[in-house]
Structure formats: C-alpha cells, structure tokens
Amino acid sequence: MVVEEPAEPVVEPAVEEAPAPEDDFQLEPEAVVTPELLSQLVTDNPEFGKLLEADSRLKGQLYKTAREAAELKPYREIFPDLDSARTAQDHSSTWIDVRETFLGSTTRQGTLASLSKIAELSYEHDAEGNVVMQNGKPVIGEDFFGFVDNVVGLDLEHRVHDVSARLSANNYRTEEERARDLRVKDALDVLREESAATSPALEAQPEALRRKAEELEQRERALNMRQHGEKVEERRSFEQGLQTEAQTRIQDGIGKIIANVEKQGGVVSPYLKNILPKAIGAKLIRKIQANPALQDQMLSLQRLPIGDASRQRRLAAIDRAVQQYLPEVAREELREAGVQIANASAAKRAKVDAQIDSTKKTEPKGSVGPAGSGSATMSSSAAFDHAQAEWQRANPGRPFDKLAREQILPRVLQLMTSR
C-alpha cells in the first residue's frame, strides 16, 4: 500500500506522523486478505473481477500481495517489526558462532578463539549501538576482565582444594610424592596471594609506609564504591523514568481505545473504566514479556549507554510492541467484560458513507462512483478511483501508469473490504 505523504514539507505535527492503531479501533478486527478471500471477493463483485481479468499483471500482483500477507501473519505474531527479526537473527547467529567456537576449546588455540568470541560480546557500544574504538581497537568492557579473573580464581581454589585433600589423606607411596604436593600447594598459595588485595611485597615494607599504602588503598576502594553507587543510582533513575514513560504511553493508548469504543456506541460503565485499563495493561505486559524476540531486543537496547539517544530508541521499540499487541489484548478484555457496540451497523454505515463522500470529492468528472446506496462496502470502481486520487495527490506530476496501478491495489482491496 502506498502511504500518502504531504505535498508540503510540514503539514502535520510530528506527533501525528506515526498513527497509532487505537486511532481507528474496532472491536472486531478486519480479517487478513488471503488468496481464498480474494477469490471470494472476485466472485461476489463481478466488476472487480472484470477489472482484474483486463490486466493479468495486475491480477497476479494482487494475488501475490494477498498470499504474502497470509504467509507473513504467523511471523508477525513473533516479530512485531523487521528490527526485532533482525535482532533475533543476529543474536542467534552470534550464539551459534560462540557455541561452534567453544567446541574447539580442548586445545590452546581453541581456548584463545573462544575467549576472543566472548570478548566480542563485551565490546563497549555508544548510544547509536556502534562499537567504541580506541587506538584502532575495540574497547573491551570490564565485565570480560572480571569474568577472566573469576575463572582464574575459581581454578586456583579448585586446585588448592584438591592438593589439600591429598595432603590430609596422606596416602602417598613415597615421600617424594608428598613433597611435590607440598611444593604445588606453596606455589598455589603464592598465586592466590598475588591476586589478593594485599601482596607479600606490601607486608615487607616498613610499618609507616605500609599504613600509608593501606590508607591509600582504602580511599581508592571507597572512591570506587562511591562511583559505582552513583552509576547504579543513575541507571536506576534512568530505568525508572523509562518505565514511567512507557506506562504513561500504554495508559494513554488504552484510554484512546475506550474513548473510541464509546464513540462507536459501546457502553463502558464507570466501574469498567476503572478496572479495564489495569487489566488491559497487565495482560499487555505479560504478552510482551512472553515474546522472546522482543525480550532479546529490549535486553540489547538496555546495554546501551544512558542518554537521550538510547532512551528514544528504547521508547520507539516499546511503542512498536504496544502497537502490535494492544489492539488484540484490548479486544479480548473488552469482550470478556461484555462490552459491545450497540450501533455497530450504524457505525459501519457511517464509515462507508464517509468513504463514499470522499470518493465523490476526488473522482474525475464522468467516473462511476457509489451512488450513496448505503451498501456495506465500496464498489470496485469507486474504490479504484478513490485510491487513484490518493496516489495522484501523493505523487503530483507523476504519470499514473501500470506500476502505479499495482501500487494502489492493496488500498483498493482495503476500501472494498472495509466494513
């Protein structure tokens, strides 16, 4: 479908550039147009069928669009948008790459390759998601070095435990075996002391120097803890602000849906107005959290540095997820609450009448349009004329050729099937 663009550089406020799904919320969602449904439309609308038979390329393109829409529906239930699918694909490829590399870790070179892959996972990124470079090399995060230090520490602890157990058991065949284990334990103790906070070299210093060194060390630890605490508090405040903004947007969307239902004649009692937003919001959050692809994308964005750029990217991802799931969740909760559109047929008729009205204003003189007969759908010719007028307004000066006719087919079909 060709999205209509304004002829002037600035026509609408920026906040209206991406219409939300609740702006035209319907309790009964429109069915996905499958090839089978399209064939039924052709049978029910002879004029539409003649229009397609007159141009085989046009017919093929329309059936292709319907087939692709039906095929993509299951994928859309998993991935709300292309970015989510790409993120899931990238992370899956990364995991497979790390796993395949790790299988060769039984050799020295294989272990180095695995460590290199793990280091890549800890590369620092800027607010745009790009790897931070320093002196031509990626900046490796502190989490990688902490990981390596802990692996070494755990290995030393395991070795010391094994040697100590053998010495305690004292089941040696020769005195040389026991002496060897004593030397191994002494060496391991030295390595553990070297990695500890206080080294033997410091203990060998004069008392005055040792006290000064310990004081400096305490100050450094206190500074590091304070800086760490400030970073944690900054991150906590940032996450809390994001959560509040996301909840506000969700509640605003739910409020618009309820207001839209009331405009269509639905009766929503004050009691339901109080409990429905909470029920819809809670179910929406559970629905989003149950989607592994979305969670993967959110975790990736959460690792970005704190700032306006990362905040906007995360809010945009949240908005896309909400736009995908909110209408469906709202319909389920509204139906369970017994909310119905009392004048559903009148609302549908008003919507079609508005479409017919718009078609009359835009269609060329002499064209055949709907005569306001009150039918539930637009005729094929009226829908085609309407879509053509929209395309020409969006593409001033461009010829309305066969390619343009193909581009408006989804819009024609939408106008014909709107109920």
Side-chain angles (χ1 to χ4, degrees), residues 128-245:
E128 300 299 326
N130 302 313
V131 175
V132 177
M133 306 294 290
Q134 188 174 29
N135 299 325
K137 295 181 180 180
V139 176
I140 300 176
E142 291 297 327
D143 48 352
F144 172 76
F145 298 108
F147 165 76
V148 173
D149 288 344
N150 284 316
V151 168
V152 172
L154 289 170
D155 181 62
L156 288 174
E157 289 179 10
H158 176 72
R159 291 174 184 271
V160 169
H161 179 271
D162 285 350
V163 173
S164 299
R166 290 199 300 268
L167 289 170
S168 298
N170 199 23
N171 294 325
Y172 297 102
R173 290 174 296 180
T174 65
E175 190 62 29
E176 287 78 7
E177 289 182 356
R178 186 174 186 279
R180 179 182 178 279
D181 268 358
L182 285 171
R183 291 194 299 270
V184 170
K185 185 177 182 301
D186 289 341
L188 291 173
D189 287 339
V190 170
L191 289 174
R192 293 179 68 188
E193 288 175 355
E194 285 292 335
S195 61
T198 303
S199 67
L202 181 59
E203 294 178 351
Q205 296 293 329
E207 184 178 353
L209 292 177
R210 188 170 66 250
R211 284 201 303 268
K212 188 65 175 178
E214 289 175 352
E215 182 182 346
L216 291 174
E217 187 177 347
Q218 289 176 358
R219 288 181 181 178
E220 183 179 2
R221 282 201 299 267
L223 177 62
N224 290 337
M225 290 180 64
R226 184 166 63 252
Q227 291 176 340
H228 177 71
E230 290 173 353
K231 288 182 179 180
V232 170
E233 177 59 27
E234 184 183 16
R235 171 61 70 174
R236 188 197 65 79
S237 177
F238 180 75
E239 295 295 333
Q240 188 176 33
L242 266 176
Q243 187 178 34
T244 301
E245 176 67 18

Side-chain angles (χ1 to χ4, degrees), residues 25-44:
F25 178 80
Q26 300 292 329
L27 269 180
E28 295 300 327
E30 296 181 0
V32 174
V33 180
T34 62
E36 293 75 18
L37 179 57
L38 185 57
S39 297
Q40 186 62 44
L41 287 170
V42 170
T43 302
D44 296 341

Side-chain angles (χ1 to χ4, degrees), residues 33-35 38 60-72:
V33 180
T34 62
L38 185 57
Q61 183 66 31
L62 186 53
Y63 271 92
K64 178 184 177 185
T65 301
R67 184 174 62 253
E68 289 176 345
E71 291 173 351
L72 288 174

